[in-house]
Amino acid sequence: MRQGGRIKLSDVARDAGVSPATVSRAIAQPHLLSEETLAKVRASALRLGYLPDGAARALASGRSMTIGAIVPTLDSAIFARALQAMQSTLAQEGFLLLVASHEGHAAAEAQAVRSLLGRGVDGLMLVGAERSPETVAMLKEARVPIVLTWCDDGNFTAVTIDNVLAGRLAAEHLISLGHRRIGMVTGQLRFNDRQRARLAGARAALAEAGLGLPDQLHSEQAVTLAGGRTGCAALLELDDPPTALIGGIDLLAIGCMEEAHARGISVPSGLSVVGIDGLDMSAHVSPSLTTVHLPIGRIGMLAAETLMALVAGRPAATTMLPIELVVRRSTARLA
């Protein structure tokens, strides 16, 4: 440890047995170094307690080394997983993640965009493709890369999945099991293009099978367990209730199962339930939840990688990630 003063870059270089230029590259351009050299420099920096001068780095590079992310809510395992993957990926290259949420309000999203851009973030991640004209104008005028997630609007680079296909896969699975009266509990559709697309996909699959998903078999709810229970209760109390339900997200589907259990209805023999997301907990509830698995962690990781590439001036294209149906014990053939 250096005595009587702050640890300098040259101290790290001496300890690691490399040149000061190599240490500088390890900080600013780690991808230029071999894994062995990078590991050696990082080990020395950690051992000595070296902290690079962030202000000097920002001044020299013209970057703040921060990335902004705006999600619908922080009270969500889905977005928490994506943000954790973003944070881990960004941290490897010295970026800091700044997070805001808008709770489903377009005006709040506009304010969050304005605030993060005002703080000089190097790039911005947003969820979905639907937003106010004011926000779209700000994004188009922003001098930083923008990456959309979960949906794509054709205007910005995106890391997306096919939400229509997600709804279709869930409905087709239930149709294949002989179900003909299928209901769906989604989150609120206003300012939520992901939920609207999943509903549209389910309806398309049902229509192709000569069936339907009329409004009375669809319930919009808060995306919580309680919302799933409320939506399920409303559909089960119909004169001709559904024999199967689709949850627009796993949490809603699990809420549907809880409500069925509370009413003495067995899942899946009395009611089949499918979710969309692939949350870790969905494999461990009873019965385990059949779900359309979305690569949530990979969305966050690729969003971070795409933003860093764009910040560095490298090309990056929109990515459509694959999804798949995972069949578990919450669905069964209609008796």
Side-chain angles (χ1 to χ4, degrees), residues 101-168:
S101 67
H102 55 70
E103 303 302 327
H105 299 290
E109 186 189 47
Q111 179 55 44
V113 169
R114 187 180 299 108
S115 178
L116 287 171
L117 291 177
R119 281 166 171 73
V121 294
D122 293 324
L124 195 58
M125 180 278 267
L126 300 102
V127 174
E130 179 187 9
R131 47 194 38 91
S132 70
E134 175 192 4
T135 304
V136 172
M138 275 194 292
L139 295 175
K140 287 183 176 180
E141 293 172 4
R143 297 182 178 180
V144 300
I146 307 295
V147 170
L148 305 184
T149 54
W150 271 271
C151 286
D152 176 20
D153 68 356
N155 293 317
F156 303 102
T157 306
V159 178
T160 184
I161 52 100
D162 190 337
N163 288 283
V164 173
L165 178 61
R168 175 180 285 277

Side-chain angles (χ1 to χ4, degrees), residues 140-206:
K140 287 183 176 180
E141 293 172 4
R143 297 182 178 180
V144 300
I146 307 295
V147 170
L148 305 184
T149 54
W150 271 271
C151 286
D152 176 20
D153 68 356
N155 293 317
F156 303 102
T157 306
V159 178
T160 184
I161 52 100
D162 190 337
N163 288 283
V164 173
L165 178 61
R168 175 180 285 277
L169 289 174
E172 287 177 345
H173 173 64
L174 294 172
I175 294 167
S176 73
L177 294 174
H179 294 277
R180 294 295 177 265
R181 191 160 174 82
I182 298 169
M184 188 164 183
V185 180
T186 68
Q188 296 293 329
L189 302 184
R190 183 185 62 83
F191 200 49
N192 193 328
D193 45 12
R194 289 86 62 207
Q195 290 293 293
R196 289 202 306 273
R198 294 172 194 181
L199 176 62
R203 279 184 162 147
L206 287 162

Side-chain angles (χ1 to χ4, degrees), residues 81-82 85-86 89 159 296-306 308:
R81 185 197 290 182
M86 279 194 75
T89 305
V159 178
I296 298 168
R298 189 157 172 76
I299 290 174
M301 182 190 75
L302 284 179
E305 291 180 349
T306 301
M308 288 190 293

Side-chain angles (χ1 to χ4, degrees), residues 179-297:
H179 294 277
R180 294 295 177 265
R181 191 160 174 82
I182 298 169
M184 188 164 183
V185 180
T186 68
Q188 296 293 329
L189 302 184
R190 183 185 62 83
F191 200 49
N192 193 328
D193 45 12
R194 289 86 62 207
Q195 290 293 293
R196 289 202 306 273
R198 294 172 194 181
L199 176 62
R203 279 184 162 147
L206 287 162
E208 290 170 11
L211 307 171
L213 205 168
D215 288 343
Q216 64 265 30
L217 284 177
H218 168 234
S219 179
E220 290 184 54
Q221 299 293 333
V223 285
T224 61
L225 285 173
R229 291 195 62 168
T230 300
C232 179
L235 297 180
L236 291 180
E237 288 169 5
L238 294 172
D239 291 338
D240 186 10
T243 62
L245 292 177
I246 300 169
I249 66 169
D250 277 7
L251 201 60
L252 290 171
I254 294 170
C256 288
M257 292 201 300
E258 287 298 311
E259 181 62 24
H261 292 157
R263 291 168 175 260
I265 299 172
S266 176
V267 176
S269 59
L271 181 72
S272 283
V273 181
V274 182
I276 299 173
D277 274 331
L279 293 179
D280 290 340
M281 67 180 292
S282 299
H284 304 287
V285 295
S286 183
S288 54
L289 179 68
T290 293
T291 184
V292 179
H293 180 267
L294 312 181
I296 298 168

Side-chain angles (χ1 to χ4, degrees), residues 309-326:
L310 293 171
V311 167
R314 302 192 301 272
T318 289
T319 304
M320 173 77 77
L321 294 174
I323 63 176
E324 63 177 341
L325 178 73
V326 178

